[in-house]
Amino acid sequence: MPAPMRLLGLAIAFLLLVAACETQAAGIRRIRIEGSATGPLIVGAVWYPCATSVQDAGDGNVALSGVKDCPLAGEKLPLIVMSHGRMGWFGGGHDIAAALADAGFVVASIDHPNDNERNHSGTDGLEVFAGRSGDIKRLVDFMLADWPDAGHIDSKRIGLFGFSVGGYTGLVVIGGAPDFRKGLPRCARTDLRALPVCAQLENGELPREAPAHDPRIKAAVIIDPWPAFLLPADHLSGVTIPIQLWSSDPAHESDGVSGCCAAMIRDGLASKPEWHLVENANHFAFLAVCSPKLALDAPRICATPSGFDRAAFHERFQPEMIAFFRRTLNEARDH
């Protein structure tokens, strides 16, 4: 190689090294949304760009990558709100939240009341399926008005990330209208009729509060949304914003959730989403890589199919998600 080319290569390598060293770490700050007439107490955390080197902020069995209470770096930052799956928690996607924060996003994630890892009292019930969307709307309200660094958020660039029941939640927030009528056909299926929500609908019950929509959200990443039977095609007409829709592999459907629902939602949307089917991935492949202790304590969510590398998948998945949010939220801001 000629000397000038070698020098150019060294210069480029040096610049890339400097850029890597200057990459913003994720700051982490706990949040608490007090209970009120609009809903119960909500707890969670926010990941955000900060200018300090990466550290680990431990939380039980999970090492959350980031810097606790680091000063926020940046102005007019886009916001992503996250909704976890059935009996999940705000840190289930902590690596995704940190990656988004490293890329310049503020990311807010909560424990949904009555359907989280500590409180299952409303899991699979009508009030949770109706009320989760209101939790997300309250979270957006809090982040734009009451969070101490609210002035750093660009209110025109808000996105949503939803996994599993969080994917269903996200679809409701962005315009889906759940079908809560008595005699819902899918509830007649043997594997679904035992769900509390199906028993409640068969009894003619209706939720105390209507599901909430939030037009401030301009783009969504939706993963394996469940239960899709509450959102048939004719109840999805209000969903018009850009969606990146991910599905695990139906080959693993024997676990009851893998590959069950995303394709059904895709076919019911009038505006077709950006579609991703992840071969050989089970439903829980989208959650953060498990620590050794968590793998012992929660083998179902930590198990991966033979030949599937969850860590390697996240290295591919996260850039796709970040690129989608950057493109769609910048377009939303410019219109």
Side-chain angles (χ1 to χ4, degrees):
M1 180 185 296
M5 293 299 293
R6 286 199 301 272
L7 290 173
L8 177 60
L10 289 171
I12 291 173
F14 176 76
L15 290 173
L16 290 174
L17 178 61
V18 170
C21 290
E22 292 180 348
T23 299
Q24 292 174 323
I28 301 177
R29 191 180 303 163
R30 292 298 186 92
I31 56 172
R32 180 184 176 94
I33 305 172
E34 298 297 339
S36 68
T38 60
L41 169 70
I42 295 175
V43 298
V46 179
W47 287 254
Y48 53 89
C50 80
T52 303
S53 59
V54 175
Q55 303 171 17
D56 283 332
D59 193 302
N61 290 335
V62 181
L64 302 177
S65 179
V67 183
K68 188 175 183 294
D69 297 328
C70 172
L72 183 147
E75 299 293 338
K76 302 295 285 184
L77 301 172
L79 169 67
I80 306 297
V81 289
M82 299 184 73
S83 179
H84 64 69
R86 179 179 182 270
M87 295 190 294
W89 72 298
F90 70 79
H94 67 87
D95 63 332
I96 294 167
L100 282 162
D102 291 344
F105 295 80
V106 174
V107 184
S109 182
I110 57 170
D111 281 358
H112 283 283
N114 305 321
D115 181 28
N116 57 67
E117 66 166 351
R118 294 181 179 87
N119 181 350
H120 312 161
S121 62
T123 296
D124 297 337
L126 180 60
E127 294 302 335
V128 161
F129 287 134
R132 268 173 157 257
S133 54
D135 301 338
I136 296 299
K137 189 173 186 298
R138 288 178 62 203
L139 175 59
V140 175
D141 290 342
F142 173 85
M143 292 302 297
L144 295 183
D146 299 324
W147 190 53
D149 283 319
H152 294 262
I153 294 174
D154 185 349
S155 62
K156 294 183 178 180
R157 291 192 293 162
I158 302 177
L160 180 146
F161 178 99
F163 166 74
S164 192
V165 181
Y168 157 87
T169 303
L171 289 166
V172 175
V173 172
I174 64 176
D179 189 351
F180 289 149
R181 60 192 164 93
K182 182 176 181 178
L184 196 62
R186 299 273 294 181
C187 276
R189 279 179 36 176
T190 303
D191 59 331
L192 296 177
R193 71 173 60 148
L195 287 175
V197 66
C198 284
Q200 290 170 298
L201 294 178
E202 190 57 33
N203 288 335
E205 296 181 37
L206 292 172
R208 291 188 294 269
E209 295 185 19
H213 305 312
D214 196 331
R216 295 170 296 185
I217 293 174
K218 303 301 183 183
V221 171
I222 303 293
I223 299 170
D224 274 0
W226 185 90
F229 70 87
L230 292 177
L231 289 171
D234 58 343
H235 286 244
L236 290 170
S237 60
V239 178
T240 59
I241 66 171
I243 293 175
Q244 187 181 70
L245 183 60
W246 293 78
S247 175
S248 53
D249 195 332
H252 300 296
E253 64 179 347
S254 60
D255 64 13
V257 285
S258 294
C260 77
C261 305
M264 185 187 308
I265 293 297
R266 176 196 59 186
D267 295 342
L269 292 169
S271 179
K272 297 308 176 187
E274 179 185 311
W275 171 251
H276 296 266
L277 171 63
V278 186
E279 293 183 359
N280 201 28
N282 65 3
H283 181 65
F284 300 105
F286 294 91
L287 296 177
V289 177
C290 293
S291 67
K293 186 176 188 312
L294 186 59
L296 291 174
D297 293 342
R300 181 169 181 255
I301 67 169
C302 293
T304 55
S306 176
F308 187 85
D309 186 328
R310 187 184 290 192
F313 164 63
H314 278 241
E315 289 179 1
R316 302 191 304 273
F317 162 58
Q318 291 171 11
E320 292 268 9
M321 170 197 60
I322 290 167
F324 169 80
F325 276 134
R326 277 182 172 155
R327 182 181 73 255
T328 54
L329 295 182
N330 286 344
E331 289 172 353
R333 176 195 59 195
D334 297 338
H335 284 83

